[in-house]
Amino acid sequence: LHSQIDMHQAYGGVVPELASRDHIRRVLPLAAQVLNDAGMSRSDIDLIAYTRGPGLAGALLVGAGVACAMAMALDKPVLGVHHLEGHLLTPFLSADPPTFPFIALLVSGGHTQLMRVDGVGRYELLGETIDDAAGEAFDKTAKMLGLGYPGGPALAKLATQGDPQAFKLPRPLLTGDRAATLDFSFAGLKTAVWTHLLKLGGTADAPNAGIAAQVIADMAASTQAAITEVLVNKSLKALKASGLKRLVVAGGVGANRSLRDQLDTACARRGVQVHYPELALCTDNGAMIALAAALRVQSGRA
Ligand code: KG4
Ligand code: ZN
């Protein structure tokens, strides 16, 4: 596993061109190292899998190009895997894997979805965000609060020092005519935080300027509370509507401690079992895509 977080940190976000150039530099040495660490050689490979998308075009192109070339050279099959399918199936790598069927809450930097999962490759979309993703809401708010990149973990950390009820922030789609749906909307939350900050004395260029550290921590806590309350509420709705008693949480935001605590409490009360991928696997794009490909081959859906 190689993380580009340090490289992007200097710019406060992902720089696509740097990301793809770094992919080119890393992918072959990393593949060699993985085989070496596992005590295996290229002849032990049964199939090459790569991320088909969604993601940054340049980085995806590097993966697809290397995978297809390797498969051709080794005379092995090649399989493109959807990034979210990788996230969805990561809990199967943990010590206590779920069994089908289950409801999946997929919460990443680019997606927020609720799905019914009946087996490998058998996914039914129940609801999704109509604008920003949950991770995006964390990241964009963190940026306004002057926190570093990646924003989600930074905001979560600061939130432990703040009051989650200090600011009244909207809980989009929990009330009104779309309350019954399993869709999400997070763009309004970002705007609400922005409006509060400007009222507190922040400026358009530096929305957190001159605002006391405790107030910023309160805003972080209030933002996290708004996002997690919506995610928990809609997950419970999906479980109730389907009658299923199993929930799988996947994607980067699934690492959020507060979200996990609230889901654990709410699900325990309803006899629902919750599965989380191990923290280290939430962001291991190599392991998750390899696993998804292996499961697809095993289930005859490659
Ligand atoms: O699944 P992922 O790697 O992204 C995509 O595939 O898009 O997740 C990254 C997202 C980022 O938005 C990041 O801020 C968020 O997950 N994230 C968190 C936490 N750890 C990562 N958000 C809230 N709390 C966390 N502890
Ligand atoms: Zn992801």
Side-chain angles (χ1 to χ4, degrees):
L1 179 67
H2 174 75
S3 167
Q4 296 186 332
I5 284 182
D6 288 347
M7 181 179 79
H8 295 307
Q9 219 145 31
Y11 300 90
V14 174
V15 184
E17 183 62 17
L18 291 183
S20 47
R21 282 173 190 244
D22 200 44
H23 274 66
I24 293 172
R25 255 192 316 270
R26 305 277 179 183
V27 63
L28 288 175
L30 210 53
Q33 193 193 329
V34 160
L35 286 173
N36 194 40
D37 291 352
M40 294 194 167
S41 70
R42 284 179 187 167
S43 58
D44 294 311
I45 294 173
D46 300 310
L47 173 140
I48 312 274
Y50 67 95
T51 305
R52 180 160 54 82
L56 295 173
L60 290 170
L61 202 56
V62 175
V66 168
C68 292
M70 248 191 201
M72 177 75 107
L74 298 172
D75 197 20
K76 296 291 177 190
V78 62
L79 180 62
V81 177
H82 195 282
H83 178 70
L84 291 183
E85 186 175 21
H87 274 302
L88 199 65
L89 298 175
T90 34
F92 287 95
L93 271 182
S94 58
D96 175 29
T99 50
F100 299 113
F102 54 79
I103 294 294
L105 172 68
L106 263 175
V107 271
S108 72
H111 292 82
T112 306
Q113 301 187 329
L114 274 164
M115 253 187 264
R116 182 191 166 104
V117 180
D118 284 294
V120 176
R122 295 169 60 202
Y123 316 123
E124 184 195 344
L125 184 65
L126 304 173
E128 64 182 331
T129 183
I130 57 171
D131 42 55
D132 290 357
E136 204 175 348
F138 269 105
D139 293 337
K140 286 181 175 169
T141 316
K143 199 163 196 169
M144 281 188 253
L145 298 182
L147 309 177
Y149 163 87
L155 189 141
K157 191 165 168 225
L158 186 62
T160 60
Q161 295 162 35
D163 173 6
Q165 284 165 352
F167 292 98
K168 264 206 171 62
L169 296 174
R171 267 68 169 158
L173 307 196
L174 285 199
T175 51
D177 57 353
R178 297 188 77 165
T181 71
L182 296 173
D183 288 333
F184 303 87
S185 164
F186 291 107
L189 182 62
K190 181 184 62 191
T191 315
V193 171
W194 172 259
T195 310
H196 273 294
L197 291 177
L198 293 197
K199 265 193 218 148
L200 289 163
T203 63
D205 288 337
N208 64 320
I211 302 174
Q214 185 56 51
V215 177
I216 296 291
D218 288 345
M219 188 63 85
S222 301
T223 302
Q224 178 175 266
I227 297 172
T228 52
E229 188 183 323
V230 173
L231 294 176
V232 172
N233 179 295
K234 296 281 181 174
S235 300
L236 295 178
K237 273 204 183 99
L239 286 159
K240 193 164 176 206
S242 65
L244 297 180
K245 292 285 179 192
R246 208 169 290 113
L247 176 69
V248 163
V249 183
V253 181
N256 187 272
R257 189 69 264 164
S258 168
L259 175 65
R260 288 187 174 209
D261 289 345
Q262 288 176 54
L263 280 175
D264 286 346
T265 309
C267 288
R269 219 181 285 145
R270 292 163 177 80
V272 172
Q273 219 180 339
V274 197
H275 295 261
Y276 305 97
E278 276 158 45
L279 279 183
L281 294 172
C282 283
T283 49
D284 190 335
N285 287 271
M288 68 171 82
I289 296 303
L291 173 79
L295 290 176
R296 289 188 71 135
V297 171
Q298 267 175 14
S299 64
R301 284 180 171 259

